[in-house]
Amino acid sequence: MTTTTTVPAARTAAGPGLPAPGRVLTGDRPTGGLHLGHYFGTLANRVRLQQQGCELFVVVADYQVITDRDRPENLAQLRTSMVLDYLACGIDADNSVIFAHSAAPALNQLLLPFLSLVSTGELDRNPTVKEEIRMAGRSKVNGLMMTYPVHQAADILFCKAELVPVGKDQLPHLELTRSIARRFNDRYGPVFPLPEGLLGEVGTLLGLDGRKMSKSLGNGIALSDGPDQVAAKVRAARTDSERRISYHPQSRPEVANLLTLAGLCLGVAPAVVAEQVGAGGAAELKRVVTDSVNKLLAPIRARRASFGPGDAAEILRRGASRAREIADATLAEVNAVMGMG
Ligand code: TRP
């Protein structure tokens, strides 16, 4: 069940045997509610790392929202609900720096020297950007879409993060970040650590229609979905006509994905869930999936209900002030070694 990857910059577990890294940074685009793919991909790792004593930074990536659309819609509300998602998952806001791109000017300024360290060919080849361009289905691609991975390197490096909990799709951006840090250090002197990625339990949790779980495809289970919404979504999920339930990702991808989802929620292997359902068929499988998702989400819903939009606003205000302080210091250091200070 654990994801393996050939990218040397990534590891898959934040086990107690590993030394606790100092700073951890990650982020999300405020484009809609976070879903279970985010939870198993990165949110659970954030909470775990924080419990191990890491200093957690989370960027609400508002400038990344305008890579594939003309205008950011409902930005204030989406930012707030994303912070509430974090709190609901168990992120301890008192021990984190949660802030928006747009609130940290010096972070954004790092984009300029960093852009000078990458070639346009490198930007063209980024597989995640290519996929996002395909998914956006627009006739024109804007410059921010091509360069946001460099901006993301600024997100990671402004606070000299050492570990970046992400989903698998973000690994190309992490490789680029490491290249930028290495090239900057080679050219101007040692300023940045080379950050490592930390993958979650699943590479890509598929949505209920068999495609990648994605906010824009609307095929995911949101962390804020109520029990009835979960039941309705799972009921509508695709399965197949074979009665006995078995875990065969190649030949039965839809069934395997439901088994993976239930397994992740219950903390057991998908094959164990398959065994349990056995001859119960798709109806029994869906009942097990619904119950297991709702069991996972129950404490998350309860925590969400204990916070309000005022809490989120205050957390973003505090985070912005701390992020600005750190970004100013890093930019001053960068300017100094570049002879611009
Ligand atoms: N690109 C990430 C996503 O779409 C969000 C993100 C922005 C991010 N800045 C980051 C992730 C820095 C990790 C580190 O999910």
Side-chain angles (χ1 to χ4, degrees):
M1 189 160 66
T2 305
T3 311
T4 52
T5 171
T6 53
V7 176
R11 46 176 145 125
T12 52
L18 294 167
R23 281 192 176 158
V24 174
L25 179 132
T26 185
D28 305 281
R29 297 176 189 199
T31 52
L34 298 178
H35 54 58
L36 288 175
H38 296 110
Y39 183 80
F40 293 114
T42 142
L43 293 166
N45 266 339
R46 298 179 196 180
V47 174
R48 215 171 294 144
L49 286 163
Q50 207 173 24
Q51 286 164 355
Q52 287 170 24
C54 296
E55 194 182 357
L56 180 67
F57 287 71
V58 185
V59 59
V60 175
D62 49 5
Y63 279 135
Q64 279 192 16
V65 174
I66 44 174
T67 52
D68 64 355
R69 66 203 72 196
D70 293 333
R71 295 171 57 89
E73 302 284 348
N74 311 320
L75 196 52
Q77 193 205 324
L78 289 172
R79 270 200 304 236
T80 303
S81 74
M82 212 159 79
V83 175
L84 292 175
D85 274 340
Y86 296 154
L87 297 171
C89 287
I91 288 181
D92 171 8
D94 290 338
N95 284 309
S96 345
V97 180
I98 302 174
F99 69 99
H101 272 149
S102 54
L107 179 160
N108 297 310
Q109 194 173 327
L110 290 174
L111 176 63
L112 295 176
F114 288 179
L115 278 171
S116 75
L117 298 167
V118 299
S119 70
T120 53
E122 253 174 324
L123 297 174
D124 271 342
R125 283 192 299 271
N126 186 303
T128 298
V129 172
K130 277 190 187 164
E131 174 64 12
E132 284 166 343
I133 289 172
R134 202 184 60 77
M135 298 265 291
R138 290 162 60 103
S139 57
K140 288 183 192 153
V141 178
N142 69 41
L144 185 63
M145 174 64 106
M146 299 308 298
T147 53
Y148 89 78
V150 186
H151 189 223
Q152 188 157 324
D155 296 345
I156 296 169
L157 297 175
F158 95 99
C159 67
K160 305 190 180 180
E162 291 167 57
L163 197 65
V164 188
V166 280
K168 204 174 173 185
D169 61 331
Q170 299 296 303
L171 290 179
H173 303 346
L174 204 75
E175 273 307 300
L176 184 71
T177 301
R178 288 165 64 85
S179 301
I180 289 171
R182 199 179 301 114
R183 290 170 197 167
F184 187 94
N185 293 347
D186 287 350
R187 202 170 286 185
Y188 301 110
V191 171
F192 296 112
L194 302 193
E196 264 189 84
L198 180 70
L199 288 175
E201 293 177 89
V202 275
T204 306
L205 183 65
L206 298 177
L208 297 171
D209 58 358
R211 291 184 289 172
K212 181 187 165 182
M213 192 179 281
S214 135
K215 280 183 280 202
S216 46
L217 293 173
N219 60 358
I221 295 174
L223 298 176
S224 58
D225 281 347
D228 295 344
Q229 277 168 298
V230 171
K233 285 182 178 178
V234 175
R235 206 177 308 122
R238 261 192 238 161
T239 51
D240 57 35
S241 55
E242 210 178 309
R243 172 124 193 122
R244 172 163 280 280
I245 295 303
S246 63
Y247 181 64
H248 289 115
Q250 295 301 327
S251 55
R252 307 183 71 185
E254 293 96 351
V255 166
N257 190 48
L258 288 174
L259 291 166
T260 300
L261 178 54
L264 285 167
C265 293
L266 298 168
V268 300
V272 172
V273 183
E275 195 87 339
Q276 259 170 31
V277 178
E284 174 64 5
L285 172 63
K286 289 184 174 183
R287 193 191 62 74
V288 170
V289 172
T290 301
D291 285 356
S292 60
V293 170
N294 279 328
K295 197 164 153 219
L296 178 91
L297 290 182
I300 294 179
R301 290 180 190 125
R303 260 196 307 266
R304 174 193 302 276
S306 69
F307 296 102
D311 296 310
E314 175 53 25
I315 286 165
L316 284 168
R317 228 183 339 264
R318 250 191 295 134
S321 148
R322 179 79 180 122
R324 270 198 289 268
E325 214 176 292
I326 296 170
D328 285 347
T330 303
L331 181 63
E333 197 183 347
V334 162
N335 283 342
V337 296
M338 293 180 73
M340 290 177 168

